[in-house]
């Protein structure tokens, strides 16, 4: 299809690796590849920034050089590292990679629930020690899981866990009595009451000012002593020191953590050594082919941008995530 506009200049902010299979995107735009130290020099004249290194905060420092920037796309679902005040207050459109990680993360959470219920992490540890130690495990059927976050990832988690026999409820911005994926959804200010009823608490919410530190000492005190916390969202949703104290005191039964306030998790962190904790390195959505899917999504949006069509996954910068009724942006609008 013939596009109406000349090829825009796109800067790709890469990290240790470069995005794969960029040839289709390179056919749609003039591409400049840059690492964080090179970003400021690469930005002048560029309309589009593809943030492949989604942990980078280099754009904040390079922002004065973004003299023609109109659209930023990030290769992640979360945009919390990107929304510094100058970008949030600008007319630059931000899009994310919503949709790529939903089902992989739901599968991962199901695996964590089964691992915790069946004590598989202890089985692996005992096998390494060649110890024959019979134990009883728990059923997941009928267990109550609270999914915190009602976006696509939270919904996929709810569907997957319900299919495995768990009773699912949700916590989000808006209360709903009969949600098709999450059952009863309570508003966020009912967090403590909702925690008291859950056997598993799964964090799948974006990191915003409203959610930062939401699982703190007071919240953990409302959880059952038999309950487990699973975090696949963002580390700062949890007050990490409070969680360590609760785990050491057996105030809750355990945790499975894929994200942390500081990543990589420092060697000195007590979370590595607690027997009732599973630690994984921010990998819950990373399945074979995920990098290619991220590039395909960006390329589709770049094609839309050139054609003047609405972009997919436009983030409401005030809220920090894509709303259920996404905003639209075309190349000809600001």
């Amino acid at each position: 299809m013939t596009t109406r506009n000349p090829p825009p200049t796109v800067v790709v902010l890469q990290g240790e690796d470069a995005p794969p299979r960029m040839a289709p995107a390179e056919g749609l735009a003039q591409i400049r590849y840059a690492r964080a130290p090179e970003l400021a020099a690469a930005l002048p004249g560029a309309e589009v920034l593809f943030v492949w290194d989604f942990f980078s905060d280099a754009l904040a420092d390079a922002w004065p050089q973004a003299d023609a920037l109109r659209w930023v796309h990030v290769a992640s679902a979360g945009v919390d590292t990107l929304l510094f005040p100058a970008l949030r207050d600008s007319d630059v459109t931000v899009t994310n990679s919503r949709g790529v990680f939903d089902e992989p993360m739901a599968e991962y959470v199901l695996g964590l629930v089964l691992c915790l219920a069946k004590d598989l992490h202890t089985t692996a540890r005992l096998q390494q020690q060649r110890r024959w130690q019979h134990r009883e495990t728990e059923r997941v059927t009928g267990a109550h899981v609270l999914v915190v976050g009602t976006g696509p990832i939270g919904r996929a988690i709810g569907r997957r866990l319900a299919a495995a026999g768990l009773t699912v409820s949700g916590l989000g911005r808006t209360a709903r009595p009969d949600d098709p994926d999450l059952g009863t959804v309570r508003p966020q200010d009912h967090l403590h009451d909702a925690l008291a009823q859950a056997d598993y608490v799964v964090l799948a919410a974006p990191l915003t000012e409203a959610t930062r530190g939401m699982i703190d000492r007071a919240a953990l005190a409302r959880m059952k002593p038999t309950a487990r916390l699973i975090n696949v969202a963002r580390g700062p949703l949890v007050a990490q020191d409070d969680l360590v104290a609760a785990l050491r005191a057996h105030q809750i039964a355990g945790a499975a953590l894929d994200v942390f306030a500081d990543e990589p998790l420092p060697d000195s962190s007590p979370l590595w050594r607690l027997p009732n904790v599973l630690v994984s390195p921010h990998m819950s959505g990373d399945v074979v082919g995920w990098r290619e899917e991220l590039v395909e999504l960006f390329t589709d949006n770049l094609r839309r941008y050139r054609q003047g069509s609405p972009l997919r996954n436009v983030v409401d910068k005030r809220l920090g995530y894509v709303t259920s009724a996404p905003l639209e942006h075309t190349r000809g609008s600001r």
Side-chain angles (χ1 to χ4, degrees):
M1 178 176 179
T2 302
T3 57
R4 300 194 305 264
N5 299 303
T9 297
V10 175
V11 173
V12 178
L13 175 58
Q14 63 185 64
E16 295 180 358
D17 66 332
R21 300 184 184 178
M22 283 289 290
E26 290 168 350
L28 294 169
Q30 299 179 17
I31 306 282
R32 302 172 184 166
Y33 293 91
R35 297 181 185 274
E38 306 154 354
L39 182 61
L43 276 176
E47 290 184 42
V48 181
L49 174 63
F50 179 20
V51 182
W52 179 252
D53 182 7
F54 53 85
F55 288 117
S56 175
D57 56 4
L59 181 56
D61 292 334
W63 183 253
Q65 305 305 315
D67 56 0
L69 196 62
R70 300 180 60 81
W71 166 40
V72 176
H73 180 87
V74 61
S76 70
V79 295
D80 47 277
T81 60
L82 191 65
L83 290 182
F84 53 93
L87 175 55
R88 186 185 299 114
D89 297 338
S90 74
D91 60 0
V92 174
T93 297
V94 174
T95 59
N96 71 0
S97 297
R98 168 174 163 151
V100 172
F101 302 103
D102 304 356
E103 295 302 330
M105 290 180 70
E107 293 172 356
Y108 197 88
V109 169
L110 174 59
L112 292 175
V113 168
L114 290 170
C115 183
L116 292 167
K118 301 306 177 183
D119 201 26
L120 297 180
H121 51 303
T122 302
T123 296
R125 184 164 57 247
L126 292 173
Q127 179 179 345
Q128 290 179 336
Q129 300 169 3
R130 297 188 296 277
R131 291 176 57 193
W132 184 276
Q133 182 178 321
H134 181 269
R135 299 161 344 269
E136 294 180 343
T137 64
E138 303 168 14
R139 297 193 64 181
V140 298
T141 301
H144 180 192
V145 57
L146 173 67
V147 179
V148 180
T150 58
I153 292 172
R155 291 184 171 282
I157 291 169
R159 291 192 298 269
R160 187 71 61 173
L161 296 185
L166 287 90
T167 300
V168 177
S169 65
L171 189 90
R173 292 179 63 229
T174 305
R176 292 183 293 278
D178 192 18
D179 187 275
D181 299 319
L182 297 168
T184 299
V185 175
R186 294 189 179 191
Q188 189 169 316
D189 58 1
H190 287 200
L191 170 65
H192 287 190
D193 290 340
L195 289 173
Q197 301 175 15
D199 299 301
Y200 297 90
V201 177
V202 179
L203 304 183
L207 178 61
T208 67
E209 289 308 309
T211 61
R212 185 181 296 273
M214 66 190 306
I215 304 299
D216 58 8
R217 180 180 304 178
L220 291 162
R222 295 301 304 271
M223 292 176 62
K224 298 178 181 180
T226 54
R228 279 81 170 225
L229 176 71
I230 296 173
N231 189 5
V232 292
R234 285 291 186 264
L237 296 181
V238 179
Q240 197 161 286
D241 290 344
D242 292 353
L243 176 61
V244 169
L247 290 164
R248 281 175 165 166
H250 299 285
Q251 188 175 340
I252 64 173
L257 308 172
D258 186 55
V259 289
F260 304 88
D262 296 314
E263 297 183 5
L265 183 65
D267 293 345
S268 59
S269 173
L271 292 170
W272 287 110
R273 299 181 296 278
L274 290 173
N276 52 350
V277 176
L278 288 172
V279 169
S280 59
H282 204 142
M283 57 180 282
S284 62
D286 301 351
V287 295
V288 175
W290 69 287
R291 293 176 175 85
E292 289 78 7
E293 288 188 48
L294 290 171
V295 173
E296 289 171 5
L297 173 57
F298 170 70
T299 303
D300 177 68
N301 251 359
L302 180 58
R303 188 174 294 111
R304 290 165 177 263
Y305 181 81
R306 284 206 61 189
Q307 294 169 355
S309 301
L311 299 180
R312 296 165 59 186
N313 296 350
V314 175
V315 172
D316 184 329
K317 294 186 292 183
R318 297 164 300 173
L319 298 175
Y321 50 86
V322 179
T323 61
S324 57
L327 303 173
E328 293 188 351
H329 170 87
T330 63
R331 192 178 182 187
S333 66
R334 291 186 67 88

